Amino acid sequence: MRKQIAAANWKMNLSLTEATTLAEQFLQEMTPAKNHQLIVFAVPFPYLTAIQQIVADTPQVFVAAQDCSAHAKGAYTGDTSVAMLQSIGVQYALVGHSERREYQLESNELLAQKVNQCLAAGITPIFCCGEPSNVREEEKQAGYVTHQLKESLFHLSADELQKVVIAYEPIWAIGTGKTATSEQAQDMHAHIREALQIQYGAEVAQSISILYGGSVKAANANEIFSRSDVDGGLVGGASLVATEFAAIAQALR
Ligand code: PGA
């Protein structure tokens, strides 16, 4: 069975004390994850080690960086390399979150480099894709997302691609309270899997976890995660409340 993943994206929120308290409360609230399930906390860089220590003894719970540099090392003030993440034992990184695409002008080409960096360091990229509202209104979302996948992932070998997690996050649903319906999520996830199948074959396409992100909360997680091509969620706002995120993790198949 594909990995089913509940990923928290804390974004630029919380003090260190608030962050450690939230992680500790989550561990108390959570039901133990099954072998095919993963819980990942994408936390601000300064808290990676602290949260890692808190979750270290809980099976199937990990931390992720929210970004990484497209470069290996050198004069890139403020950036964090995958080698640095690897050296502190981080195993996951978000790549291409829509907020970085929008505010840091990250292009598909740059994201391809970040994906390469992650894979070279043995870090699993959680690659985010998804369309803005005007593209959805014109019903051009399928082509838009395929283009993102092509430009940032399809240079990879099948072996490499199998180390990537994909998160479909329609931009109009992020932080807006406007969740995609489970049909809309399933339709796009099936489309993504079909694009993977055309490029890499059925076996590879079936093995890739595809998460849905955009206003996932405890109240809608069961419905969204019940869809056959939805393998969990990438959760922003609701991941800042321990009981909410524990309920979301419990909704994993
Ligand atoms: P949201 O954010 O759950 O607050 O909509 C999701 C994300 O940006 O990853």
Side-chain angles (χ1 to χ4, degrees):
M1 187 177 188
R2 286 190 292 271
K3 288 270 183 236
Q4 304 293 302
I5 304 171
N9 178 7
W10 288 356
K11 309 192 181 186
M12 198 173 73
N13 292 298
L14 308 170
S15 67
L16 176 60
T17 310
E18 288 165 346
T20 54
T21 304
L22 176 56
E24 280 159 2
Q25 282 176 347
F26 171 81
L27 293 184
Q28 281 163 16
E29 295 285 339
M30 77 176 277
T31 36
K34 304 194 179 88
N35 281 338
H36 67 280
Q37 296 174 341
L38 284 182
I39 318 283
V40 180
F41 288 96
V43 310
F45 283 111
Y47 309 154
L48 279 167
T49 304
I51 304 303
Q52 205 173 24
Q53 282 165 1
I54 291 170
V55 303
D57 294 332
T58 309
Q60 317 289 100
V61 183
F62 300 93
V63 297
Q66 294 179 7
D67 179 40
C68 66
S69 175
H71 305 285
K73 63 184 269 196
Y76 299 102
T77 304
D79 276 5
T80 302
S81 71
V82 290
M84 293 170 183
L85 296 173
Q86 185 190 42
S87 74
I88 61 165
V90 171
Q91 298 173 55
Y92 296 86
L94 303 185
V95 172
H97 189 281
S98 63
E99 286 149 18
R100 295 205 60 86
R101 290 174 185 263
E102 183 178 354
Y103 306 136
Q104 316 299 327
L105 306 180
E106 294 191 353
S107 65
N108 292 338
E109 294 75 17
L110 180 88
L111 298 175
Q113 290 172 34
K114 292 191 177 196
V115 167
N116 292 346
Q117 288 289 328
C118 285
L119 293 175
I123 290 173
T124 301
I126 301 175
F127 176 79
C128 306
C129 56
E131 80 286 355
S133 58
N134 62 313
V135 170
R136 171 66 63 165
E137 278 152 23
E138 290 170 17
E139 296 181 12
K140 294 197 169 134
Q141 65 272 11
Y144 187 93
V145 170
T146 311
H147 185 72
Q148 290 179 319
L149 299 176
K150 268 193 186 143
E151 295 209 325
S152 300
L153 296 183
F154 284 4
H155 62 287
L156 299 174
S157 69
D159 276 359
E160 289 168 333
L161 186 85
Q162 283 181 286
K163 296 177 182 130
V164 175
V165 170
I166 295 174
Y168 168 60
E169 299 204 303
I171 297 171
W172 46 271
I174 295 179
T176 56
K178 209 169 140 191
T179 323
T181 64
S182 67
E183 284 82 6
Q184 285 173 324
Q186 168 58 28
D187 283 354
M188 179 59 86
H189 285 224
H191 167 74
I192 291 172
R193 211 177 291 290
E194 195 191 328
L196 297 175
Q197 179 167 340
I198 291 166
Q199 189 72 15
Y200 293 98
E203 199 181 322
V204 173
Q206 285 302 323
S207 74
I208 309 276
S209 300
I210 308 176
L211 317 185
Y212 168 79
S215 300
V216 174
K217 40 188 187 277
N220 59 26
N222 267 306
E223 162 74 12
I224 295 171
F225 297 173
S226 71
R227 293 307 186 114
S228 59
D229 284 299
V230 179
D231 304 309
L234 177 56
V235 187
S239 75
L240 297 171
V241 180
T243 48
E244 272 280 310
F245 190 58
I248 290 167
Q250 205 178 350
L252 290 176
R253 279 188 279 128

